[in-house]
Amino acid sequence: MKAIRVEKFGGPEVLQLVEVEKPIVGPHQVLIEVRAIGVNPVETYIRSGNYGNMMTPPYTPGSDVAGEVIEVGAEITDLKIGDRVYTWNPGGAYAEQMLCERKGVFALPDNASFEQGAALGVPYATAHRALFGRGGARAGESVLIHGASGGVGIACVQLARAFGLTVIGTAGTEEGRRLVSEQGAHQILDHTADNYLMAVSEITGGRGVDLIIEMLANVNLQSDLEVLAQYGRVVIVGNRGEITINPRETMKRDADIRGMTLFNVPPHEVPGIHAALRAGLENGSLNPIIGRRFSLGEAALAHEEIMKSGSWGKIILVP
Ligand code: NAP
């Protein structure tokens, strides 16, 4: 079978399509015929070699696929050949077939396409964790999705809207803002415009916003703190550098800054997150939006694309 291999860390060009051996399935593992692969920014950080030691070359990148089960390990009784599934399993996704641990495989409802399934593992689970696990979102509150046009942002908009929050979303392009609006945000702001966060005060009747889900904290954290309501929370999902903040802004409001990484979700909470995502897909409140599609051999192009501004939904690879 074909797979992308990274022989050494580096730029997108180190993503090489090669022929590899078919994996051997262990007793607690599942082999999946991959129909679609989700590309996430973290895979570019890991590939560049600047993201700890999560993967050691040679390796096959990615954690998110959707497809059909083609082999199950001897100890697995609750999955069978032909089941439609999606994954969140570290490594091995950029391939025609993916070997996964059972605990990283989740049922894909019939009304979700394989491409939509490939958009779930990291983005939707991150959005759920950010809003509810870390953010403590409550129905009736307001939330600013700061960076709403990408994979995690669209998921946040849909989850927050379905849960009964007032949703403010930002995007950097006209197309992105239209998408954020179509996905349910009540108010849409342009994060490239001057003083765009001044509108938050007006939108919230002068209170400020209860919760902010932040995709680029190194740019926005100080201004986030300035538009928070009393007892407000900022959840940092994305960050690509350093920033100076004035901690007094947190004191004035008894505000919280809460970091998160999906890898830190306590293992016993993972099934609950995916049960919620499944329910949302089945009842139609969650509807992953697919942006650009690339072939598996174009993984390098997809890595270049995901780091550009002008996001519009989820970038996927099709094997
Ligand atoms: P993505 O699909 O590439 O989307 C990036 C988003 O950031 C877009 O909505 C983009 O908007 C927005 N953005 C760009 N400039 C911004 C600015 N100045 N202020 C606010 N937002 C801005 O990426 P993703 O998959 O949604 O991930 C978003 C971030 O979260 C990435 O940094 C990723 O590494 C991180 N992440 C973290 C976790 C975790 O566990 N903590 C999990 C998943 C992702 P425009 O393109 O419209 O400008």
Side-chain angles (χ1 to χ4, degrees):
M1 67 149 183
K2 288 196 165 48
I4 295 288
R5 295 294 277 174
V6 172
E7 293 290 336
K8 62 175 176 30
F9 292 130
E13 70 285 352
V14 302
L15 299 168
Q16 292 291 323
L17 187 65
V18 296
E19 196 66 35
V20 297
E21 298 270 307
K22 185 183 170 201
I24 295 166
V25 181
H28 298 280
Q29 292 179 319
V30 181
L31 189 63
I32 296 165
E33 186 73 24
V34 174
R35 303 291 184 200
I37 303 154
V39 177
N40 294 295
V42 69
E43 291 139 26
T44 73
Y45 317 152
I46 295 170
R47 186 216 67 228
S48 71
N50 299 322
Y51 202 73
N53 52 359
M54 286 183 60
M55 291 286 168
T56 309
Y59 72 94
T60 292
S63 59
D64 298 1
V65 308
E68 288 145 332
V69 173
I70 52 173
E71 217 177 311
V72 287
E75 298 293 325
I76 296 175
T77 55
D78 57 351
L79 277 178
K80 60 181 188 318
I81 290 168
D83 283 354
R84 301 173 85 249
V85 293
Y86 71 93
T87 65
W88 177 54
N89 182 84
Y94 292 16
E96 291 178 332
Q97 296 176 354
M98 184 187 191
L99 183 66
C100 291
E101 299 303 315
R102 171 65 190 91
K103 64 178 194 279
V105 180
F106 309 94
L108 181 66
D110 287 341
N111 64 339
S113 69
F114 287 125
E115 292 187 346
Q116 289 181 310
L120 297 171
V122 168
Y124 274 73
T126 298
H128 192 283
R129 174 73 173 163
L131 281 166
F132 304 114
R134 296 293 288 141
R138 292 184 286 272
E141 288 190 320
S142 54
V143 61
L144 169 65
I145 316 293
H146 214 162
S149 49
V152 179
I154 290 294
C156 284
V157 169
Q158 294 174 355
L159 281 162
R161 181 66 200 253
F163 198 67
L165 285 96
T166 298
V167 180
I168 308 166
T170 77
T173 64
E174 191 63 46
E175 296 74 24
R177 289 191 287 281
R178 196 173 313 123
L179 176 65
V180 172
S181 170
E182 287 163 0
Q183 296 315 307
H186 296 88
Q187 301 284 342
I188 297 91
L189 303 176
D190 174 0
H191 55 229
T192 67
D194 289 340
N195 302 320
Y196 64 97
L197 287 179
M198 282 174 70
V200 170
S201 174
E202 196 181 319
I203 292 167
T204 58
R207 284 189 68 242
V209 74
D210 297 303
L211 177 60
I212 299 178
I213 308 298
E214 180 52 62
M215 304 302 164
L216 201 55
N218 55 299
V219 172
N220 296 322
L221 188 54
Q222 173 62 24
S223 45
D224 284 345
L225 296 176
E226 293 169 10
V227 298
L228 267 186
Q230 194 176 30
Y231 314 128
R233 298 90 66 197
V234 182
V235 178
I236 299 178
V237 172
N239 181 63
R240 293 180 180 167
E242 296 182 2
I243 182 171
T244 300
I245 62 162
N246 184 348
R248 179 160 291 281
E249 298 295 340
T250 66
M251 297 160 68
K252 281 187 206 167
R253 300 166 170 82
D254 277 22
D256 289 356
I257 301 170
R258 302 177 183 173
M260 73 147 280
T261 291
L262 193 56
F263 304 108
N264 288 338
V265 176
H268 68 275
E269 292 186 23
V270 172
I273 291 174
H274 290 277
L277 299 184
R278 182 183 175 141
L281 290 164
E282 287 173 341
N283 70 28
S285 60
L286 302 185
N287 180 31
I289 303 296
I290 307 307
R292 294 196 63 185
R293 297 167 175 82
F294 295 88
S295 69
L296 184 55
E298 294 175 318
L301 272 178
H303 271 210
E304 285 171 11
E305 196 62 28
I306 200 160
M307 296 308 282
K308 291 180 186 164
S309 55
S311 308
W312 196 96
K314 183 73 204 163
I315 293 177
I316 61 160
L317 302 174
V318 183

